[in-house]
């Protein structure tokens, strides 16, 4: 099992969500986050300088079975990529175990319903 965390542009969230659903990734969490990037510049609006070094992004977090890692990463890459600086990052992190609280099932089976296995 792997945990995939993707930090993406807020404007790309709907496209990424649709791509994940199309790739049969039906459950994930997302959060509005702020971060500091490499770009350091001020924007001027009506004569006032605003610091834009703090960037608003969306963090998507999903745990998938090993067989679904590549299609999940591909779905995020293809839908979030603009080719410009600030597109974000994807992290793939190993997960040691998963436990479904309702049934106490452990491992891969805790991530999906066996009767819905395709």
């Amino acid at each position: 099992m792997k945990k995939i965390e993707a930090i993406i542009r807020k404007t790309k969230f709907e496209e990424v969500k649709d791509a994940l659903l199309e790739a049969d990734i039906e459950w994930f969490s997302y959060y509005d986050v702020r971060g500091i990037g490499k770009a350091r510049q001020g924007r001027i609006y009506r004569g006032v300088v605003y610091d834009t070094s703090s960037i608003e992004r969306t963090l998507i977090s999903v745990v998938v079975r090993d067989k679904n890692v590549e299609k999940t990463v591909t779905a995020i890459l293809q839908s979030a990529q603009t080719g410009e600086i600030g597109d974000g990052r994807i992290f793939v992190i190993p997960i040691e175990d998963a436990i479904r609280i309702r049934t106490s099932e452990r491992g891969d089976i805790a991530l999906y319903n066996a009767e819905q296995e395709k």
Side-chain angles (χ1 to χ4, degrees):
M1 290 177 290
K2 301 282 192 263
K3 180 178 186 180
I4 299 172
E5 288 189 346
I7 300 169
I8 62 168
R9 297 174 184 269
K10 289 182 88 165
T11 56
K12 288 296 205 168
F13 175 72
E14 289 298 323
E15 290 176 52
V16 172
K17 179 182 77 169
D18 292 344
L20 288 171
L21 293 173
E22 191 172 306
D24 294 326
I25 305 302
E26 298 171 342
W27 185 93
F28 59 89
S29 299
Y30 64 94
Y31 315 90
D32 288 333
V33 296
R34 296 180 69 83
I36 304 293
K38 287 184 180 180
R40 302 276 191 268
Q41 65 182 20
R43 298 246 168 127
I44 299 174
Y45 180 72
R46 294 188 178 183
V48 178
V49 177
Y50 293 92
D51 179 20
T52 60
S53 63
S54 179
I55 305 166
E56 291 187 1
R57 294 289 185 253
T58 299
L59 171 70
I60 295 173
S61 177
V62 59
V63 177
V64 296
R65 295 185 288 170
D66 289 333
K67 73 178 193 174
N68 293 330
V69 170
E70 202 52 45
K71 76 176 182 178
T72 304
V73 169
T74 300
I76 295 169
L77 273 175
Q78 291 177 347
S79 57
Q81 193 173 55
T82 68
E84 298 176 8
I85 293 174
D87 276 351
R89 300 278 190 277
I90 298 174
F91 304 100
V92 180
I93 307 157
I95 296 292
E96 191 171 315
D97 199 4
I99 303 156
R100 185 182 308 215
I101 295 172
R102 177 176 52 90
T103 62
S104 299
E105 294 169 315
R106 298 181 81 108
D108 282 359
I109 194 74
L111 299 179
Y112 70 100
N113 293 326
E115 60 273 4
Q116 294 177 349
E117 179 66 9
K118 295 175 182 173

